[in-house]
Amino acid sequence: MTPNANILCFGAAHFDRTLQCTETFVPAASNPVRTLHRKPGGVSRNIAVHLRLLGNNVAMLGAVGDDGDGDQVIEALSELGIDTRHLMKISGMATAGYTALLDETGELALGMMNAEVYDLLTIDRLEPHLANLLARPWWLVDANLPTESIMWLAENKQTTKFCAATVSPSKAVRFKPVLDKLDLLIANRAETRILTGIEINDLAQAKVAVELLRGKGIPDIVITLGAQGVVSSSASGTAFWHPLPTKVKDVNGAGDAFYSGFLSAYSKPHTSFDDAMASGLAMASLTAETEGTTVWDLTLDAVTERAAKAERKVL
């Protein structure tokens, strides 16, 4: 163990392709675009990379195809110093892929995902590694894992902190059976609606939703509201956080970056929930000012300086 946290990230590691409309986005029509990038991506991978760039000891558990894309994903993570020994190459499968289409302003207009290989992260494949998995005191689990595997991990986590990343509204439902076993949940408003049944259009509704989730047994909850800000709830109370001043270039990956900033801070001894919130907001802001999902020139000083601008309002 080192002073920095040992975190194991479960879930998606694949290739992201990001395109942006050069004119006003029109649904159900041909839209002229430019290619911004094609890089390794995935919710768990995005969080793992920023966690590593923030100085943490990070491992990744996921599945890739037995193909060139899979080799490149593993190599890119290994070069950053991320432990890839739990990344499984599945014979006969293709590495997953995600394509994001941004509108002319940089907001996500459409996302398309091929994630069949993640369905093979079954209990049978996880169980032989449980002792090694439990050696990491923090688990970041994204909802690309099958529901049964998520339930098995939650039942067998022992003293490990189980942190849920909801991924999307369609996949967030996979955490419903284990809400009482989560230690941390971070979700956007659409994903929160799936878990609570509450439509969130204002702060009052967000407060009801987080208090309902705390009633399920989750001690720490964050609901991100995009450009409106963030609502949090913990032992220190429920609060609203304004978004930090940001010169937006590309919001793709900002939510994952929030998670990495929060978890990097919160997993360290004696760090308060509010300080972790400020770190998460800073990472989201810095990432939104970057094309692509990763701030490769990230520094702790930049995060600290941006985090100092965070403001908390009690709800």
Side-chain angles (χ1 to χ4, degrees):
M1 295 286 288
T2 74
N4 290 319
N6 284 284
I7 302 168
L8 175 57
C9 298
F10 296 74
H14 53 250
F15 271 99
D16 277 342
R17 186 182 183 205
T18 301
L19 313 173
Q20 184 171 15
C21 294
T22 56
E23 299 176 10
T24 301
F25 172 69
V26 181
S30 177
N31 288 270
V33 301
R34 62 189 177 101
T35 299
L36 297 182
H37 65 73
R38 177 186 177 273
K39 296 179 181 178
V43 169
S44 188
R45 174 267 171 197
N46 291 344
I47 295 172
V49 167
H50 272 146
L51 284 170
R52 181 60 187 153
L53 293 174
L54 288 167
N56 299 283
N57 300 313
V58 184
M60 178 95 205
L61 185 151
V64 297
D66 188 12
D67 53 22
D69 281 357
D71 291 338
Q72 290 179 47
V73 168
I74 293 172
E75 182 181 2
L77 293 172
S78 297
E79 287 177 350
L80 289 172
I82 293 173
D83 185 341
T84 60
R85 287 175 291 178
H86 294 304
L87 267 175
M88 306 173 192
K89 295 188 71 173
I90 310 296
S91 179
M93 295 296 292
T95 297
Y98 175 73
T99 299
L101 175 63
L102 309 180
D103 67 16
E104 69 284 359
T105 70
E107 293 288 338
L108 181 66
L110 179 66
M112 296 173 288
M113 180 72 191
N114 164 24
E116 290 181 321
V117 72
Y118 301 135
D119 295 335
L120 301 181
L121 288 168
T122 58
I123 296 171
D124 287 346
R125 283 192 164 95
L126 297 176
E127 191 167 17
H129 306 285
L130 181 60
N132 288 329
L133 305 183
L134 290 170
R136 300 272 178 168
W138 290 84
W139 288 352
L140 181 285
V141 182
D142 84 23
N144 284 293
L145 271 70
T147 303
E148 295 77 11
S149 297
I150 289 173
M151 293 171 64
W152 181 84
L153 287 169
E155 289 287 348
N156 290 278
K157 73 185 184 76
Q158 298 183 23
T159 59
T160 297
K161 299 291 187 181
F162 190 118
C163 308
T166 41
V167 176
S168 68
S170 64
K171 293 183 177 178
V173 69
R174 298 180 182 185
F175 286 116
K176 256 193 165 182
V178 299
L179 291 178
D180 61 328
K181 295 178 175 63
L182 301 182
D183 296 285
L184 170 65
L185 172 69
I186 298 179
N188 64 28
R189 73 177 82 208
E191 295 153 358
T192 302
R193 180 179 60 81
I194 296 298
L195 295 175
T196 65
I198 297 172
E199 191 79 37
I200 300 175
N201 297 309
D202 55 38
L203 294 183
Q205 292 169 326
K207 183 178 180 181
V208 172
V210 295
E211 290 177 350
L212 186 153
L213 289 166
R214 279 182 59 80
K216 299 282 187 182
I218 310 174
D220 296 318
I221 301 155
V222 178
I223 299 177
T224 59
L225 305 175
Q228 285 185 265
V230 179
V231 172
S232 68
S233 188
S234 69
S236 62
T238 301
F240 169 71
W241 302 76
H242 291 278
L244 297 177
T246 303
K247 298 177 181 178
V248 175
K249 284 187 178 179
D250 179 359
V251 299
N252 193 32
D256 300 341
F258 178 94
Y259 215 132
S260 63
F262 182 97
L263 187 55
S264 178
Y266 203 43
S267 59
K268 294 176 174 59
H270 313 302
T271 300
S272 72
F273 182 89
D274 288 353
D275 285 344
M277 285 295 302
S279 177
L281 288 165
M283 279 299 303
S285 176
L286 291 167
T287 303
E289 292 184 345
T290 304
E291 288 191 353
T293 59
T294 306
V295 185
W296 291 110
D297 58 352
L298 183 66
T299 66
L300 292 176
D301 285 345
V303 176
T304 300
E305 181 180 349
R306 190 69 59 97
K309 301 175 182 177
E311 297 181 4
R312 177 183 188 271
K313 177 184 177 182
V314 176
L315 285 182

